[in-house]
């Protein structure tokens, strides 16, 4: 449109980006108001932006929306501040540390399943159940605290904050937050709720004299290599909020999409059940068991291909670059969308089909590396990627042997691509206890 440019990109980004890829090729340029926005759907060019030339790019201004909620944590910072924080937080996500968390994750899932078993009404909102579960897990594993009864009203507060982050990022004219519009007032209330949780997480820990070596403990005692300068209270608040939000919402979305796909493909669910039975008998998976459940892993890889919770990764060029034959002036926003890449007919055979077989080791080997990037790539790759895959596998392999999670009206579930890719208006469904275990 004159002056406004491609505003449909804001209204229906998944379709606009995919159509642009199909019509114009792997580098497509949009203008939204005064902003030039380039979408890249070629794995080699994605690698260039996110990995090889990453020094020439910073996080795009869209992340300012998220910064309203997260402050300057890992997701929303750049440069020396980001490098320092990443170095401080990274050890908390090493393999040996993750191994210690598997049993806690399994315990949280067991509690959920016991709750489900005790219910008389088996109708649920699948997305809501997954949000509650992943909140419980993030509380215990990252912060060593039981958010327990606090969880009930958090979902709406989180949704309000993410909506605001999105709206703020997209609006060409930004109404300052102090203006008492209904949307600003709702946001202020919701943010106070989240701030209170984060404050409580930190204060509970300060009151606890036991030294603990979970993520929160590591952040609180983190010091630079020269032994100086831990985090200020504000930095700690921002990192805790960042991990709290990034650490549960994405996985809740991934698991909701997983249950939708498994409802639509019961033969895949049965095959996971058979694998779990053969490997674990009736017990819960431990950390060492996870590599022995490869098919469940392939299912999750395929879920993250079709429904990548982080559906877009954006940067802004700080110096000019050249993407293929195209000059990219400094200041251009460059987006690599896992959604667009993962549904690319030139990269995936029959891309809309759900087929975990795509992730067999032989088939993965023959594919360009950055054709699949649910966790991003390069130095800003998701710090929680292994944590997320481990948690998702534990949830999947514990839920399926005990319940079928049915989605009431799969065709009515709509995509809501905001900060993350969520189901719009939840995912109404029903739990069905599994009574007839498949033979291994
Ligand atoms: C299925 C689950 C998840 C998905 C799909 C996902 C996806 C992503 C993606 C694509 C990025 C890169 C963003 C960019 O380059 O702009 C990212 C960054 C990040 N993720 Fe995740 N994530 C998931 C789970 C988690 C978990 C469980 C945690 C923490 C426990 C986490 C914490 C973070 C943080 C802190 C960053 C920023 C890293 C940095 O810039 O240094 N994520 N995530």
């Amino acid at each position: 449109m004159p002056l406004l440019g491609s505003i449909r990109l804001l209204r229906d980004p998944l379709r606009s980006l995919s159509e642009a890829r199909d019509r114009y090729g792997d580098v497509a340029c949009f203008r939204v108001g005064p902003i030039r926005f380039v979408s890249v759907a070629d794995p080699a060019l994605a690698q260039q932006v996110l990995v090889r030339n990453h020094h020439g790019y910073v996080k795009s201004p869209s992340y300012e929306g998220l910064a309203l909620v997260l402050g300057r944590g890992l997701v929303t910072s750049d440069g020396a501040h980001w490098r320092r924080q990443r170095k401080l937080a990274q050890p908390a996500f090493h393999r040996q540390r993750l191994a210690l968390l598997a049993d806690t994750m399994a315990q949280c899932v067991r509690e959920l399943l016991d709750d489900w078993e005790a219910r008389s009404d088996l109708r649920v909102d699948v997305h809501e159940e997954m949000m509650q579960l992943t909140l419980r897990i993030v509380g215990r594993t990252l912060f060593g605290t039981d958010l327990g009864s606090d969880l009930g009203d958090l979902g709406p507060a989180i949704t309000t904050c993410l909506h605001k982050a999105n709206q703020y990022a997209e609006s060409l004219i930004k109404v300052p937050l102090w203006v008492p519009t209904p949307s600003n007032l709702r946001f202020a209330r919701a943010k106070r709720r989240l701030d209170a949780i984060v404050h409580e997480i930190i204060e509970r820990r300060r009151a606890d004299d036991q030294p603990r070596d979970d993520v929160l403990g590591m952040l609180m005692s983190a010091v630079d290599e020269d032994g100086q300068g831990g985090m200020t209270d504000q930095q700690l608040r921002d990192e805790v909020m960042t991990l709290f939000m990034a650490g549960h919402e994405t996985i809740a979305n991934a698991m909701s999409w997983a249950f939708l796909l498994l409802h639509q493909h019961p033969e895949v669910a049965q095959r996971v059940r058979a694998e779990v039975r053969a490997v674990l008998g009736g017990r819960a998976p431990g950390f060492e068991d996870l590599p022995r459940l490869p098919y469940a892993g392939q299912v999750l890889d395929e879920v993250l291909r079709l429904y990548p919770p982080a559906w877009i990764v954006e940067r802004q060029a700080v110096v000019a670059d050249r993407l293929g034959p195209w000059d990219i002036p400094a200041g251009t926003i460059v987006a690599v969308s896992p959604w667009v890449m993962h549904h690319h007919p030139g990269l995936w055979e029959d891309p809309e089909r759900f087929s975990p077989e795509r992730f067999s080791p032989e088939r993965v080997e023959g594919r360009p590396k950055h054709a699949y990037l649910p966790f991003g790539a390069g130095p800003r790759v998701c710090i929680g990627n292994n944590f997320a895959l481990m948690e998702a596998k534990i949830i999947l392999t514990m839920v399926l042997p005990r319940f079928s999670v049915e989605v009431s009206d799969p065709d009515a579930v709509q995509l809501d691509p905001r900060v993350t890719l969520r189901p719009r208006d939840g995912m109404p469904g029903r739990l069905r206890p599994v009574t007839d275990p498949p033979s291994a």
Side-chain angles (χ1 to χ4, degrees):
M1 290 179 69
L3 293 175
L4 294 175
S6 310
I7 50 170
R8 183 160 162 254
L9 181 64
L10 303 179
R11 273 205 313 270
D12 192 354
L14 300 179
R15 188 187 301 192
S16 302
L17 291 172
S18 302
E19 283 179 5
R21 173 202 63 208
D22 295 342
R23 193 185 295 181
Y24 301 111
D26 287 343
V27 180
C29 182
F30 298 79
R31 184 178 60 76
V32 183
I35 298 163
R36 186 201 295 256
F37 176 100
V38 171
S39 169
V40 171
D42 173 329
L45 298 181
Q47 195 261 3
Q48 179 177 330
V49 173
L50 299 177
V51 189
R52 189 153 47 90
N53 286 3
H54 74 91
H55 287 300
Y57 292 89
V58 291
K59 291 262 173 155
S60 78
S62 301
Y63 289 86
E64 290 306 310
L66 259 183
L68 298 179
V69 187
L70 306 182
R72 291 282 159 217
L74 274 174
V75 170
T76 41
S77 55
D78 267 305
H81 176 68
W82 166 77
R83 257 192 309 282
R84 175 174 178 272
Q85 296 296 96
R86 176 98 188 192
K87 218 167 172 185
L88 292 177
Q90 190 72 58
F93 292 91
H94 281 163
R95 196 171 178 277
Q96 305 91 297
R97 296 260 159 198
L98 295 185
L100 303 174
L101 304 180
D103 289 346
T104 309
M105 290 179 178
Q107 177 57 26
C108 293
V109 183
R110 198 174 295 115
E111 288 167 23
L112 174 81
L113 296 176
D114 291 346
D115 285 352
W116 283 0
E117 230 147 56
R119 290 174 75 120
S120 51
D121 182 0
L122 293 175
R123 282 170 303 178
V124 289
D125 185 298
V126 178
H127 186 241
E128 186 54 38
E129 294 294 313
M130 289 301 113
M131 284 284 278
Q132 298 287 328
L133 172 62
T134 56
L135 272 169
R136 196 186 300 208
I137 293 177
V138 90
R140 284 201 210 156
T141 54
L142 296 189
F143 308 125
T145 188
D146 230 319
L147 298 170
S149 57
D150 290 335
L151 300 181
D153 64 330
L154 267 186
I158 290 167
T159 305
T160 305
C161 284
L162 293 180
H163 275 207
K164 184 71 184 180
N166 219 69
Q167 191 194 52
Y168 190 84
E170 285 177 354
S171 50
L172 297 176
I173 299 163
K174 302 197 192 314
V175 180
L177 289 181
W178 54 262
V179 180
T181 61
S183 146
N184 277 351
L185 292 172
R186 264 197 312 278
F187 172 67
R189 251 195 320 275
K191 183 165 172 284
R192 269 202 302 278
R193 182 72 187 93
L194 295 189
D195 279 335
I197 285 280
V198 166
H199 183 71
E200 192 181 325
I201 289 173
I202 295 172
E203 285 314 308
R204 270 194 211 170
R205 178 58 56 92
R206 287 202 165 126
D208 178 2
D209 350 300
Q210 300 272 319
R212 298 215 223 172
D213 63 354
D214 57 8
V215 172
L216 180 58
M218 292 188 72
L219 291 178
M220 288 177 80
S221 62
V223 286
D224 292 330
E225 265 166 7
D226 61 4
Q228 291 173 4
M231 293 189 199
T232 63
D233 280 0
Q234 183 62 40
Q235 281 164 0
L236 183 62
R237 177 264 172 218
D238 292 352
E239 292 306 352
V240 170
M241 181 67 92
T242 296
L243 292 173
F244 173 73
M245 294 288 275
H248 81 275
E249 215 260 338
T250 41
I251 308 185
N253 293 336
M255 294 317 298
S256 306
W257 299 122
F259 289 120
L260 173 68
L261 286 164
L262 292 173
H263 172 83
Q264 293 168 322
H265 300 272
E267 70 292 352
V268 174
Q270 283 301 77
R271 207 175 141 191
V272 176
R273 289 192 180 98
E275 180 179 79
V276 172
R277 229 180 142 63
V279 174
L280 301 177
R283 65 188 172 81
F287 184 73
E288 303 301 332
D289 294 315
L290 298 177
R292 298 165 58 223
L293 297 159
Y295 186 69
Q298 285 178 223
V299 169
L300 291 166
D301 289 342
E302 179 69 341
V303 169
L304 293 175
R305 181 184 74 82
L306 278 172
Y307 294 99
W311 61 278
I312 193 161
V313 168
E314 283 183 26
R315 297 287 185 269
Q316 182 165 32
V318 282
V319 290
D321 198 1
R322 202 175 163 80
L323 292 175
W326 308 101
D327 282 327
I328 303 294
T332 307
I333 309 291
V334 180
V336 175
S337 162
W339 169 275
V340 175
M341 198 78 89
H342 294 178
H343 292 253
H344 193 323
L347 297 169
W348 306 89
E349 198 185 313
D350 200 359
E352 300 311 315
R353 194 163 56 87
F354 177 60
S355 169
E357 282 66 35
R358 297 179 200 277
F359 287 92
S360 64
E362 320 75 70
R363 289 181 65 184
V364 169
E365 214 161 86
R367 192 173 298 140
K369 189 160 171 236
H370 294 88
Y372 182 66
L373 64 182
F375 295 104
R380 308 292 305 244
V381 71
C382 177
I383 202 170
N385 60 356
N386 292 323
F387 179 102
L389 290 173
M390 160 168 136
E391 177 175 336
K393 200 183 250 191
I394 290 174
I395 297 174
L396 191 71
T397 57
M398 287 183 74
V399 169
L400 285 188
R402 280 173 68 182
F403 285 92
S404 277
V405 181
E406 299 177 352
V407 177
S408 305
D409 186 357
D411 295 335
V413 176
Q414 287 187 31
L415 297 165
D416 194 11
R418 293 184 185 261
V419 175
T420 54
L421 187 62
R422 309 172 119 205
R424 178 170 293 154
D425 304 324
M427 196 181 277
R430 167 178 268 282
L431 305 169
R432 204 169 289 282
V434 172
T435 48
D436 184 19
S439 53

